[in-house]
Amino acid sequence: MKPVMEWFSRVLLIVTVLYTCVFGLIWFLIPARALASGFLLGGLISLYNVFHLSFRLRMAGLRVQSGARRQAGLHMTVRILTIVFGALMVYRFPTRIDYRSFVLSLLFGYLTLVTVMSYYYLKGNGMTSSDEGGEIHGTDSESEISRDDI
């Protein structure tokens, strides 16, 4: 599981930097600043939520593996409050941040998550037969515990 998370974090970091650069350049160069700032704010909040969820899932998995009595939460309240913060920013500065692009870009991080993980598993780096246990279903004719007299 560790190589998957490292690979995913690296790819998501690259996507975040590219997303920020593209919409940052659009914000600087094109007169539609409100549209670009809405995409930039919503996309960055969405990508932050995906990074935060990934981090909290990793921590919860480590706590389960260590046998800790108290389970680690996923901090869903924090992720909801970041979206509320973005909505308050859009409400406070309606001429500088477009609400339509903000709402549309809130899905960007989660769509990126699904795309990156689907690519990882479809490429063949995902679960192999050794990860699944390597069991052969069907006949037990070569089993050590089978007996000929039964």
Side-chain angles (χ1 to χ4, degrees), residues 33-43 96-98 101-103 105:
R33 286 189 171 185
L35 189 68
S37 62
F39 276 115
L40 194 59
L41 179 66
R96 294 185 180 174
I97 304 172
D98 184 39
S101 60
F102 172 74
V103 170
S105 62

Side-chain angles (χ1 to χ4, degrees), residues 83-93:
I83 295 172
V84 169
F85 170 72
L88 289 174
M89 293 282 291
V90 170
Y91 180 74
R92 175 71 174 97
F93 304 108

Side-chain angles (χ1 to χ4, degrees), residues 25-39:
L25 285 173
I26 290 172
W27 187 80
F28 276 119
L29 300 177
I30 297 178
R33 286 189 171 185
L35 189 68
S37 62
F39 276 115

Side-chain angles (χ1 to χ4, degrees), residues 59-73:
M59 286 187 57
L62 290 174
R63 291 196 75 146
V64 167
Q65 285 179 349
S66 69
R69 195 145 180 90
R70 185 173 176 274
Q71 300 297 326

